[in-house]
Amino acid sequence: MTNWLPDISSGTGPVYIRVADSIENAITHGVLPPGTKLPPQRNLAYDIGVTIGTVSRAYALVHERGLVAGEVGRGTYVLERANGKQIEPIDPITQALAGTRGLEIPGDKIRFDTTAAPDIGQGEIIGQLFADISRDHRAEISSYSRNFPANWFRAGQVWLARNGWQPAIETVVPTLGAHAAAIAVISAVTSPGDKIVFENLTYTQVSRATRLLGRRSILVDSDEHGIIPDDFERLCQQQHPRLAFLMPTAHNPTLVTMPEARRRAIAAIARRHSVWLIEDDLYGGMTEDPNPLMADIAPERTFLVSGLSKSVTAGVRGGWVACPQHFAQRIKVTHKMTTGGLPFILAETCARLVLSGHAMALRRQAVEEIRVREQLARETLSGFEFTSHPHVPFLWLKLPEPWLSGTFKNAALAEGVLVDDEDEFKAARTDKTYHRVRVAFSSPQRRDEVASGFMTLRHLLENGSASYDSHI
């Protein structure tokens, strides 16, 4: 075992990233040669004056970078360099933007870290649509999409409609998925330096992207009913945000659904303080939630975004945004500037999926497959605390003592299962700790693989005290 200690006095970003970068730098320059056993994480935490959780996350990070391997009962060891080549360092800015997921995903793991639509045979339908479009629109496929056909807008109008509400067709803009829609809205209605409200836990791909755009994230508190109106009001009065990003139905990762009274309260506050709202409804159409959309309650300030990725197909980047009146043209132009434009074959495929009825049928099949898998989770993880919904492809798992979120993620990775720790969903630095992980279960192709992944997680949960010291 080495007496080496990491240098965390330099560098930027969270301490765990600086620890991981220091380990990587030592490995790259031969200070920690292959086969070296790293210090036990509890000891290292004491020696450098940080928490065990910080060291756990750093070790998980260098494990994800392929630099070390952990063995239960033996510790963590530096791996041989592939083909004798120097390991290319990962700069802290890149790692911060990437979040807590590895930049390269191992191909031999059970992927419980993505909520893409399950494979239900949509490839055959999409392949036929590609062939039909290639035959019918040769000229359009070989050029840029400058003129959008009317069916692209009609498809968005159909897909975004819910609970008796439907957007006016002139307010709909087709996009390269819900994420691209949200970024286009943020780019269009805010300026560099503006503040954007996110919940403490959220879909952080958007919050990280806003930092790239020069916007600032501020956090609002939530409870079991979603955003707390009093805290949202306080933020609006004191910090004057320009926009708030919301997931009122089947919030990712907590699965909270905001009741109607809370939605109306948030809309009223946004109205008083002239705050724009982005309503992410990606999971909403899968849930049969009867609550009205924010776009129905506050249509003059709400941008409703959704797409096909979670319930139909993620590989065909299809989405739409319904805008307040007179904003569609601005969002269309901004989307083109931020994405490079909408490929004809993808947008036409998405439109045909929706207008033919295929998308609705595939969503019903996807929801049924998710229902079966969620029931598997309930059976396999019985006795442990988690939140789930029978139509949504992930669960929010509470970890028993002594597990920490990052530690459990690292242990699951060592056992061949990829999950997301709670830090993956934190929009900014916060002292809030939840001791939870998100377990997504739509991507494995077979149910037996899903069952195996759940069983692996159960074994870890049951044997936490035995495995803990090997992973912290």
Side-chain angles (χ1 to χ4, degrees):
M1 186 184 302
T2 178
N3 292 322
W4 170 89
L5 293 177
D7 177 12
I8 59 173
S9 61
S10 60
T12 60
V15 174
Y16 81 96
I17 291 180
R18 282 184 267 158
V19 173
D21 290 341
S22 182
I23 294 172
E24 181 170 347
N25 185 62
I27 293 172
T28 300
H29 293 91
V31 177
L32 297 175
T36 300
K37 182 179 180 181
L38 297 186
Q41 297 183 28
R42 191 183 301 276
N43 295 358
L44 183 59
Y46 177 82
D47 288 340
I48 63 176
V50 301
T51 66
I52 295 173
T54 295
V55 177
S56 171
R57 293 175 64 190
Y59 275 39
L61 194 53
V62 291
H63 190 290
E64 290 169 5
R65 294 177 183 179
L67 305 176
V68 301
E71 300 179 29
V72 176
R74 294 193 64 231
T76 302
Y77 290 82
V78 177
L79 292 173
E80 292 281 349
R81 298 174 188 174
N83 303 319
K85 295 181 180 179
Q86 288 288 101
I87 299 168
E88 181 181 357
I90 301 174
D91 69 276
I93 295 176
T94 299
Q95 190 63 55
L97 291 173
T100 65
R101 293 172 180 165
L103 297 179
E104 295 184 11
I105 305 301
D108 59 344
K109 310 294 184 184
I110 296 175
R111 294 210 60 182
F112 278 177
D113 64 339
T114 172
T115 56
D119 183 356
I120 49 176
Q122 58 268 70
E124 184 175 347
I125 295 171
I126 293 169
Q128 185 58 56
L129 286 175
F130 273 18
D132 294 344
I133 294 166
S134 299
R135 181 193 64 235
D136 299 340
H137 295 281
R138 292 182 181 178
E140 289 87 346
I141 288 173
S142 66
S143 187
Y144 295 109
S145 301
R146 292 190 172 90
N147 299 308
F148 289 10
N151 63 313
W152 294 8
F153 300 93
R154 287 200 304 273
Q157 185 183 40
V158 170
W159 191 252
L160 295 174
R162 196 153 69 78
N163 296 346
W165 177 87
Q166 186 177 66
I169 197 164
E170 67 270 14
T171 69
V172 174
V173 178
T175 65
L176 273 169
H179 175 94
I183 299 309
V185 171
I186 291 168
S187 301
V189 303
T190 69
S191 301
D194 281 348
K195 295 175 181 177
I196 300 177
V197 176
F198 292 95
E199 294 175 75
N200 279 288
L201 298 172
T202 190
Y203 172 62
T204 50
Q205 298 293 319
V206 171
S207 63
R208 292 179 205 138
T210 62
R211 290 201 293 275
L212 279 176
L213 296 173
R215 279 64 169 173
R216 292 180 286 172
S217 299
I218 57 175
L219 300 182
V220 63
D221 282 337
S222 302
D223 60 17
E224 68 275 15
H225 300 302
I227 290 176
I228 299 173
D230 286 348
D231 198 52
F232 185 46
E233 181 92 62
R234 176 189 64 80
L235 279 180
C236 291
Q237 291 174 343
Q238 296 179 1
Q239 307 235 20
H240 311 293
R242 185 69 172 155
L243 181 147
F245 178 82
L246 316 176
M247 289 181 285
T249 303
H251 175 275
N252 182 18
T254 66
L255 286 157
V256 166
T257 289
M258 193 183 294
E260 180 176 352
R262 181 70 62 92
R263 297 179 191 223
R264 293 191 180 279
I266 296 300
I269 295 167
R271 212 174 262 126
R272 281 198 298 274
H273 296 278
S274 299
V275 176
W276 297 107
L277 303 175
I278 293 179
E279 179 177 15
D280 182 338
D281 197 46
L282 261 177
Y283 300 104
M286 304 167 70
T287 63
E288 300 177 357
D289 171 41
N291 288 296
L293 293 163
M294 296 295 293
D296 190 10
I297 296 171
E300 82 286 354
R301 65 187 55 259
T302 302
F303 296 85
L304 175 68
V305 303
S306 190
L308 305 180
S309 61
K310 309 305 181 184
S311 58
V312 180
T313 174
V316 181
R317 302 296 296 163
W320 295 269
V321 53
C323 310
Q325 287 288 341
H326 312 302
F327 271 88
Q329 191 62 31
R330 185 192 299 187
I331 301 303
K332 182 180 177 182
V333 171
T334 307
H335 177 268
K336 180 180 179 181
M337 299 304 293
T338 54
T339 66
L342 197 57
F344 182 92
I345 195 165
L346 297 185
E348 180 68 14
T349 297
C350 293
R352 292 193 184 195
L353 278 168
V354 171
L355 296 177
S356 67
H358 284 311
M360 299 298 185
L362 287 168
R363 181 163 69 183
R364 287 192 293 271
Q365 293 177 53
V367 165
E368 175 58 23
E369 180 62 27
I370 289 165
R371 185 193 65 76
V372 173
R373 296 182 181 201
E374 191 262 353
Q375 183 59 37
L376 267 176
R378 289 192 169 278
E379 294 169 358
T380 308
L381 300 176
S382 175
F384 293 98
E385 182 183 345
F386 62 88
T387 305
S388 67
H389 187 290
H391 298 169
V392 179
F394 61 86
L395 58 89
W396 187 228
L397 175 64
K398 179 73 172 179
L399 300 173
E401 291 282 357
W403 287 115
L404 304 172
S405 180
T407 306
F408 187 84
K409 174 183 175 178
N410 193 28
L413 176 65
E415 298 299 320
V417 181
L418 296 168
V419 299
D420 282 315
D421 61 6
E422 64 187 49
D423 285 351
E424 176 60 27
F425 302 97
K426 291 179 178 176
R429 292 183 64 175
T430 173
D431 58 1
K432 293 184 180 297
T433 302
Y434 303 89
H435 301 305
R436 287 182 180 262
V437 293
R438 194 194 74 168
V439 181
F441 45 80
S442 56
S443 282
Q445 290 196 325
R446 304 186 316 277
R447 291 178 186 175
D448 63 337
E449 188 179 6
V450 175
S452 174
F454 287 151
M455 188 57 69
T456 296
L457 297 183
R458 182 176 184 89
H459 288 159
L460 283 173
L461 293 167
E462 289 176 334
N463 296 288
S465 59
S467 303
Y468 188 63
D469 285 338
S470 298
H471 297 284
I472 64 173

